[in-house]
């Protein structure tokens, strides 16, 4: 059986990026950026909002004609859309060879062998995969940062969310596996890891909690920085805050999705906290780390959200002064509680939701700009990641607060922590000069 040449397209969150890198390592072969040169095409899909899932499906259609030119070509769908629609996708797309759920990646080699031998069309969407964390992701040579998965699935039941349906219940990765993967990445030149999980701070394993994980990673010498995402507000503990403050390597940035500033809407969303609780958590974080930067996710137009509710969200944004935020119009997902509400009289019309979204995003732009302006004249420790996208004479890196900084510099600084004096605050980044 010959080696594979894989073309892979990735949609969605960090988890999917990580899974695509695992897929690369799972197959025996190499990757290509040109689908015409591939004998294996995989679209790793996202189902979080309707638009995302349609985009993924329509992208598959582009490969139909390649199949008529090359009958040996294997085309597969993986990720959350694969899990959500399963078997139905084979009916809808006669050129599709396999459907692979996000938990079943370790089964991919078997699936490919089976297809090559029998020309069958397997659907593997089982959650019950023993080797869940076994395949480590492909790591691109020279990359300074890397994700490390610490958890799969989610045990929360947010009314709008499809993740627990498509990624299953929470399973936490053993501490020693996380350390092993981190040490391996460090041997490849990585300086910063980002722990990823749907509710990363609820991680626990054999008596260890998230704070213990941060402390254990903090002991590893050559690791410069630790980030993690996404935190669930209710799972912030005193020990977690203390560990964040104590362990120098842990960056002073927390992504803490609030979703809404209205207690009524939070309850409808089943988020299990109130705005008071959220604000008190932020106060505790700021007490331990006065400089901490907070970013968030917000949904507008959830069924039942009135203009007053929405204004409470704007007020909360002003109060917390979020560094940045990802904001979305609510999108009903099949089988969720939110979908039932959406089909009732509580639905918010699309033009109302769009208008709210644009007001919210304008406010965020102002908040981000003023946060960036505050940095002018300050010095920042920046971990240099790469050349700037647009100018090879410039480098880019991030501050502990996860702000992007661009500055003039040479290749040899990549992978180093440098001091940068900030002299300009742009809409989504800073500019400065290295000094020592
Ligand atoms: N815990 C996850 C959250 C996954 S979804 C994480 O690791 O990021 C990311 C964000 O998408 C959520 O925080 C929420 O703001 C948004 N989202 C989820 N379901 C949505 C839906 N049905 N409609 C609109 N936005 C949604
Ligand atoms: Fe989704 Fe809520 Fe879990 S947003 S991923 S159900 S914490």
């Amino acid at each position: 059986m010959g080696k594979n040449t894989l073309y892979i397209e990735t949609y969605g969150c960090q988890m999917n990026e990580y899974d695509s890198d695992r897929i690369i390592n799972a197959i025996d072969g190499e990757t290509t950026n040109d689908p015409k040169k591939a004998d294996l095409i995989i679209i790793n899909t996202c189902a979080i909002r309707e638009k995302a899932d349609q985009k993924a499906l329509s992208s598959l259609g582009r490969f139909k004609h390649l199949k008529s030119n090359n009958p040996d070509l294997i085309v597969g769908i993986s990720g959350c859309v694969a899990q959500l629609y399963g078997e139905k996708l084979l009916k809808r797309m006669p050129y599709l060879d396999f459907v692979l759920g996000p938990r079943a990646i370790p089964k991919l080699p078997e699936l490919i062998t089976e297809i090559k031998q029998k020309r069958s069309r397997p659907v593997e969407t089982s959650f019950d995969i023993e080797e869940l964390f076994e395949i480590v992701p492909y790591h691109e040579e020279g990359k300074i940062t890397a994700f490390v998965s610490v958890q799969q699935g989610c045990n929360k039941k947010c009314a709008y969310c499809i993740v627990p349906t498509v990624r299953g219940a929470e399973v936490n990765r053993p501490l020693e596996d996380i350390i092993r993967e981190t040490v391996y990445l460090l041997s490849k030149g990585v300086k910063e890891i980002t722990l990823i999980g749907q509710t990363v701070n609820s991680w626990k394993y054999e008596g260890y909690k998230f704070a213990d994980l941060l402390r254990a990673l903090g002991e590893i010498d050559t690791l410069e920085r630790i980030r993690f995402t996404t935190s669930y507000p209710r799972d912030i503990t005193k020990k977690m805050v203390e560990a964040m403050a104590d362990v120098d390597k842990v960056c002073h940035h927390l992504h803490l999705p609030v979703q809404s500033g209205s207690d009524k809407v939070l309850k409808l969303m089943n988020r299990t906290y109130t705005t008071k609780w959220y604000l008190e958590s932020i106060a505790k974080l700021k007490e331990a780390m006065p400089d901490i930067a907070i970013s968030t996710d917000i949904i507008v137009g959830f069924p039942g959200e009135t203009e007053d509710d929405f204004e409470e969200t704007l007020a909360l944004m002003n109060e917390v002064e979020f560094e940045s935020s990802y904001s979305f119009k609510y999108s009903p997902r099949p089988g969720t509680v939110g979908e039932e509400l959406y089909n009732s009289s509580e639905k918010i019309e699309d033009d109302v939701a769009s208008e709210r979204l644009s007001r919210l995003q304008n406010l965020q732009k102002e908040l981000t700009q003023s946060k960036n302006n505050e940095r002018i004249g300050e010095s920042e420790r920046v971990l240099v990641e790469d050349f700037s996208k647009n100018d090879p004479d410039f480098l880019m890196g991030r501050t502990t607060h996860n702000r992007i900084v661009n500055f003039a510099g040479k290749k040899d600084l990549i992978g180093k922590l440098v001091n940068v004096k900030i002299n300009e605050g742009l809409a989504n980044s800073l500019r400065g000069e290295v000094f020592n």
Side-chain angles (χ1 to χ4, degrees):
M1 201 130 310
K3 285 193 184 297
N4 299 291
T5 305
L6 168 73
Y7 171 82
I8 184 159
E9 235 168 63
T10 310
Y11 294 84
C13 64
Q14 297 98 338
M15 225 67 73
N16 265 13
E17 282 177 42
Y18 187 86
D19 283 348
S20 286
D21 285 337
R22 288 172 72 218
I23 288 174
I24 294 173
N25 268 0
I27 65 145
D28 179 21
E30 52 183 20
T31 54
T32 172
N33 290 326
D34 180 0
K36 287 193 221 68
K37 296 204 177 106
D39 51 28
L40 174 62
I41 293 180
I42 300 180
I43 306 301
N44 193 15
T45 57
C46 170
I48 201 77
R49 284 167 291 274
E50 202 179 352
K51 243 193 216 149
D53 96 22
Q54 280 164 1
K55 201 156 108 195
L57 289 178
S58 65
S59 85
L60 259 174
R62 295 180 1 243
F63 305 114
K64 198 164 135 185
H65 73 282
L66 291 178
K67 196 110 188 201
S68 31
N69 301 341
N70 175 9
D72 290 333
L73 175 65
I74 297 175
V75 177
I77 181 168
S78 64
C80 296
V81 174
Q83 186 75 36
L84 186 60
Y85 301 119
E87 191 84 38
K88 284 187 209 140
L89 295 165
L90 291 183
K91 295 208 181 78
R92 186 167 154 186
M93 290 176 275
Y95 52 92
L96 189 63
D97 293 295
F98 70 88
V99 177
L100 180 74
R103 285 243 172 141
I105 291 171
K107 297 274 177 207
L108 180 61
E110 284 168 45
L111 248 59
I112 293 175
T113 308
E114 188 191 314
I115 297 167
K116 285 186 181 170
Q117 282 170 353
K118 304 193 208 147
R119 231 35 236 195
S120 57
R121 300 175 77 207
V123 176
E124 178 53 271
T125 49
S126 164
F127 279 152
D128 197 14
I129 306 290
E130 263 176 37
E131 317 87 331
L132 193 55
F133 290 107
E134 245 167 46
I135 295 171
V136 297
Y138 162 78
H139 179 76
E140 192 186 319
E141 201 68 42
K143 228 174 134 235
I144 301 303
T145 61
F147 294 133
V148 176
S149 166
V150 304
Q151 178 183 66
Q152 299 230 18
C154 182
N155 275 355
K156 314 294 188 220
K157 295 183 177 65
C158 303
Y160 49 81
C161 190
I162 196 76
V163 170
T165 314
V166 290
R167 285 189 171 264
E170 177 183 304
V171 181
N172 289 297
R173 189 177 192 186
L175 179 65
E176 53 281 13
D177 277 20
I178 299 170
I179 306 267
R180 193 182 316 121
E181 189 165 316
T182 303
V183 169
Y184 165 77
L185 290 164
L186 295 174
S187 77
K188 294 277 168 188
V190 165
K191 303 285 179 196
E192 172 186 298
I193 56 158
T194 301
L195 307 175
I196 55 171
Q198 299 296 343
T199 56
V200 70
N201 58 329
S202 68
W203 180 89
K204 52 180 182 297
Y205 189 78
E206 288 184 349
Y208 296 112
K209 296 281 178 60
F210 187 66
D212 304 312
L213 176 59
L214 293 181
R215 289 185 191 273
L217 291 166
E219 297 291 315
I220 305 177
D221 267 353
T222 52
L223 179 60
E224 297 280 5
R225 281 183 168 180
I226 304 166
R227 299 185 188 274
F228 52 88
T229 198
T230 298
S231 294
Y232 186 72
R234 266 300 280 270
D235 292 336
I236 293 180
T237 60
K238 191 159 170 263
K239 284 197 172 149
M240 169 184 164
V241 177
E242 282 167 4
M244 282 184 78
D246 285 355
V247 181
D248 288 345
K249 295 174 188 199
V250 173
C251 289
H252 284 193
H253 166 241
L254 192 66
H255 186 64
L256 197 63
V258 67
Q259 312 298 359
S260 170
S262 150
D263 287 335
K264 184 193 93 188
V265 175
L266 286 175
K267 197 153 186 204
L268 287 170
M269 288 176 165
N270 195 26
R271 283 292 285 183
T272 72
Y273 54 84
T274 58
T275 49
K276 181 166 176 278
W277 204 93
Y278 185 90
L279 292 169
E280 280 170 7
S281 301
I282 303 257
K284 284 178 199 154
L285 286 155
K286 286 198 170 157
E287 196 183 319
M289 292 160 278
D291 66 320
I292 193 167
I294 311 283
S295 57
T296 202
D297 292 348
I298 295 173
I299 298 175
V300 301
F302 189 75
E305 181 190 73
T306 62
E307 175 61 26
D308 284 352
D309 292 323
F310 173 66
E311 279 171 19
E312 284 180 23
T313 300
L314 297 181
L316 182 120
M317 288 172 72
N318 271 316
E319 183 165 352
V320 180
E321 295 183 13
F322 291 113
E323 198 76 17
S324 65
S325 58
Y326 295 101
S327 46
F328 317 94
K329 271 194 286 185
Y330 169 68
S331 165
R333 304 284 51 216
T336 59
V337 174
E339 190 195 31
E340 284 168 38
L341 291 172
Y342 184 82
N343 290 334
S344 73
S345 57
E346 298 295 291
K347 172 181 170 173
I348 306 302
E349 290 306 326
D350 190 59
D351 55 338
V352 175
S354 297
E355 191 262 345
R356 285 180 191 166
L357 186 65
S358 97
R359 272 157 72 198
L360 186 152
Q361 290 180 339
N362 285 336
L363 171 59
Q364 185 60 59
K365 258 188 213 150
E366 284 171 27
L367 291 173
T368 304
Q369 182 70 63
S370 89
K371 289 269 169 192
N372 284 348
N373 289 348
E374 275 171 23
R375 306 318 292 176
I376 298 172
E378 302 285 329
S379 72
E380 297 273 11
R381 278 302 266 171
V382 173
L383 177 63
V384 188
E385 288 179 24
D386 206 343
F387 293 106
S388 279
K389 267 192 220 119
N390 305 324
D391 188 339
D393 292 332
F394 271 67
L395 299 172
M396 74 73 65
R398 277 167 213 269
T399 69
T400 183
H401 307 118
N402 208 30
R403 296 189 188 99
I404 291 175
V405 186
N406 290 292
F407 51 92
K410 298 256 182 313
K411 193 178 175 193
D412 60 317
L413 291 182
I414 294 177
K416 304 230 160 66
L417 273 164
V418 297
N419 296 317
V420 178
K421 175 93 181 281
I422 304 302
N423 47 34
E424 207 179 341
L426 304 173
N428 292 307
S429 64
L430 304 171
R431 262 199 212 145
E433 275 163 40
V434 178
F435 72 99
N436 269 312

